[in-house]
Amino acid sequence: MVCFARFCVGFFRVVAAGWSSGMVTGSGAAKASTKTELCSTYSVQQPLAPWAAPHLIDRGSMTDNRSQFPQQLRHRERHPKARWKRRGIVGGLFLGLAALATTAAIAGPLAAVGAYVDPYHAKVQAAGYVQKSVRVNRITLSYVEGPDNGPPLVLLHAQLLDWFSYSRVLPELAKSFHVYDIDYPGHGQTITPADYPMTANQIGADLGDFIEKHIGRPVFVTGNSSGGLLATWLAAHRPKLIKAALLEDPPLFSAEYPRIKQTIADRAFRTSYAAATQDHPDDFLLYWTHGNAPFFRKNIGPGTPFILTQAVKAYRRANPGKPVEIGVVKNDTVRMLLRGLDRYDPRFGAAFYDGTWNKGFDHAEALKTITCPVLLMQANTSQLPDGTLNGAMSKEEADRAMSLLHKGKYLKVDATHVVNLDKPVEFTNALESFFLGR
């Protein structure tokens, strides 16, 4: 995942450029230039998921910062109320007129935002995929199932995303596999009770029961990021159900407490923790936007949070009940992030922040237990000047994982964290070669 702060800068520059030109979709050349701008904006090569998020998502950005104001500004609180009342009226009129002007300027583009449809929806449907849900123990598990064209393949997306993040590889995978693309608990349309434990053991057990009862035979499994940790859990704890596993840039060891405190992901999970334990927002996407408003105003412009909020609301008005997809964002990974945040349960991220997600799930012990073939795929990673890990795993952690696997194979790819989105052809080729021996 790209450094989240730089992701936001690149994202909102694209949004601002799109609205200022009145264009929500563009030619292939325009799309290419937009993607180039985004990529060149990021010096860190990890675009998405918490394992490359920066200090931007920080509880500090959502607190009262008046104590940081100069003394003379704080002193104004003791001035007569009448003066503030007069100033408030004038300021209110100014802000009101500014808001009206801004709203009018973006009204046309906002209408186009609501009309956007990702072209891969049609491609996925044409490939024979159908969205389904089934009761598994205490949860209602949502997933997308493809045609029966080969051995069963289970896909487990990255944290903050949902099943559609695999859309760029689904049509090709349907030619050789019977695909089950799952929204695991905390994501997408899967429904969990309020007291559901967001732990690897609980989620892994429910996924294992789904495979055993509803697929009914051993499967190939691949998971990205947190999905890779769940794939590791399944291979270790339900060995009879897993034929082989592809772990797509999983945060092995780095997601364990207290090591996670030395990663950039820990900073990102603060927002989830605050939401889950203190603020309990009804709308996590807008909560996330509001919580990071000071960063957006400082680094991009004073209207940035307003523009994103209006885009989200416009899409929802035009597409009630559908996950948010902001077409003005040409980068697939960034757009998938916004879609995922729309349905994300912050309890999932909060469990990483306080260490409970891995309770009873020791990564080293799990890797030593796995007997099936495992392909460990590592994307690009880096280290910040202060030593913070900006990525899923360090090379040392990947080497440690390989030393513990009985039948492990290592593959380093020049790609960002969500490899299946950044390099879909390379990902599909590696998967088919490993699982099918092609």
Side-chain angles (χ1 to χ4, degrees):
M1 168 181 174
V2 178
C3 177
F4 215 27
R6 289 174 180 168
F7 137 61
C8 290
V9 172
F11 161 54
F12 285 106
R13 283 175 179 167
V14 172
V15 171
W19 270 314
S20 65
S21 64
M23 297 176 61
V24 175
T25 58
S27 65
K31 177 179 283 191
S33 64
T34 299
K35 189 167 185 179
T36 300
E37 177 188 350
L38 280 166
C39 293
S40 64
T41 301
Y42 309 142
S43 61
V44 183
Q45 298 295 311
Q46 291 290 342
L48 195 92
W51 273 272
H55 56 282
L56 144 66
I57 302 188
D58 189 307
R59 183 62 190 159
S61 65
M62 293 183 282
T63 58
D64 185 348
N65 293 319
R66 285 182 298 168
S67 62
Q68 302 174 12
F69 289 177
Q71 179 64 33
Q72 63 269 30
L73 295 183
R74 295 201 304 272
H75 179 70
R76 290 179 183 175
E77 296 180 0
R78 296 191 293 269
H79 284 192
K81 294 182 178 179
R83 181 181 301 177
W84 280 112
K85 185 175 181 180
R86 290 194 299 272
R87 292 178 180 178
I89 292 173
V90 174
L93 287 172
F94 174 78
L95 291 174
L97 289 172
L100 286 172
T102 303
T103 302
I106 67 174
L110 283 177
V113 166
Y116 173 76
V117 178
D118 191 308
Y120 271 85
H121 285 292
K123 295 180 182 181
V124 169
Q125 185 176 13
Y129 287 91
V130 178
Q131 189 155 13
K132 301 180 178 181
S133 64
V134 65
R135 188 73 178 179
V136 179
N137 303 324
R138 299 174 63 216
I139 69 174
T140 300
L141 191 70
S142 177
Y143 64 101
V144 171
E145 182 178 350
D148 188 357
N149 289 337
L153 169 64
V154 169
L155 307 179
L156 301 171
H157 56 77
Q159 186 172 171
L160 304 181
L161 303 183
D162 69 355
W163 73 267
F164 193 64
S165 64
Y166 280 109
S167 58
R168 276 53 183 165
V169 299
L170 287 177
E172 184 64 27
L173 293 178
K175 298 176 182 178
S176 304
F177 296 96
H178 186 175
V179 177
Y180 296 83
D181 187 0
I182 299 173
D183 282 340
Y184 53 79
H187 300 77
Q189 297 189 46
T190 287
I191 301 172
T192 60
D195 62 346
Y196 183 82
M198 289 294 179
T199 65
N201 284 342
Q202 181 63 65
I203 297 171
D206 287 334
L207 292 174
D209 288 348
F210 170 77
I211 294 171
E212 183 175 12
K213 298 175 182 178
H214 298 279
I215 299 180
R217 53 180 174 148
V219 305
F220 294 115
V221 63
T222 181
N224 178 217
S225 195
S226 299
L229 295 180
L230 292 170
T232 302
W233 190 99
L234 288 167
H237 294 278
R238 298 292 180 92
K240 293 182 179 180
L241 298 178
I242 306 300
K243 298 169 66 175
L246 190 165
L247 310 181
E248 181 188 348
D249 208 31
L252 291 167
F253 311 119
S254 65
E256 291 182 301
Y257 199 90
R259 162 61 170 151
I260 196 170
K261 294 297 182 181
Q262 300 169 334
T263 72
I264 209 159
D266 181 67
R267 305 174 187 181
F269 289 136
R270 291 175 189 169
T271 296
S272 294
Y273 187 78
T277 63
Q278 302 172 32
D279 300 331
H280 309 290
D282 294 327
D283 190 323
F284 184 73
L285 175 55
L286 295 186
Y287 171 87
W288 172 84
T289 304
H290 174 73
N292 294 295
F295 172 86
F296 297 144
R297 294 190 187 105
K298 177 180 179 181
N299 292 278
I300 299 136
T304 305
F306 173 80
I307 290 174
L308 176 57
T309 299
Q310 296 310 309
V312 169
K313 291 181 177 180
Y315 187 89
R316 287 172 173 170
R317 284 194 298 269
N319 304 276
K322 292 185 178 181
V324 168
E325 294 183 342
I326 307 299
V328 70
V329 182
K330 301 305 180 184
N331 182 283
D332 291 337
T333 308
V334 177
R335 193 168 60 255
M336 295 294 179
L337 171 67
L338 296 175
R339 174 189 165 101
L341 285 169
D342 191 36
R343 301 291 179 92
Y344 180 67
D345 186 340
R347 291 181 298 159
F348 191 93
F352 277 88
Y353 185 75
D354 64 17
T356 56
W357 196 90
N358 287 292
K359 185 178 181 180
F361 174 46
D362 183 274
H363 294 188
E365 291 301 318
L367 291 168
K368 288 191 293 186
T369 304
I370 297 173
T371 56
C372 70
V374 175
L375 174 61
L376 179 60
M377 179 182 289
Q378 185 177 23
N380 296 331
T381 187
S382 65
Q383 194 172 59
L384 300 184
D386 64 358
T388 300
L389 174 66
N390 185 30
M393 293 179 292
S394 67
K395 183 58 169 64
E396 292 74 20
E397 285 163 332
D399 290 342
R400 182 187 176 196
M402 289 301 300
S403 72
L404 297 171
L405 290 168
H406 297 286
K407 299 178 182 178
K409 181 179 179 181
Y410 176 78
L411 177 63
K412 176 67 173 68
V413 291
D414 182 16
T416 54
H417 182 52
V418 187
V419 181
N420 65 80
L421 266 174
D422 187 39
K423 300 288 180 67
V425 174
E426 187 172 345
F427 173 81
T428 303
N429 289 342
L431 183 148
E432 292 180 345
S433 174
F434 183 67
F435 287 153
L436 302 178
R438 292 180 177 175

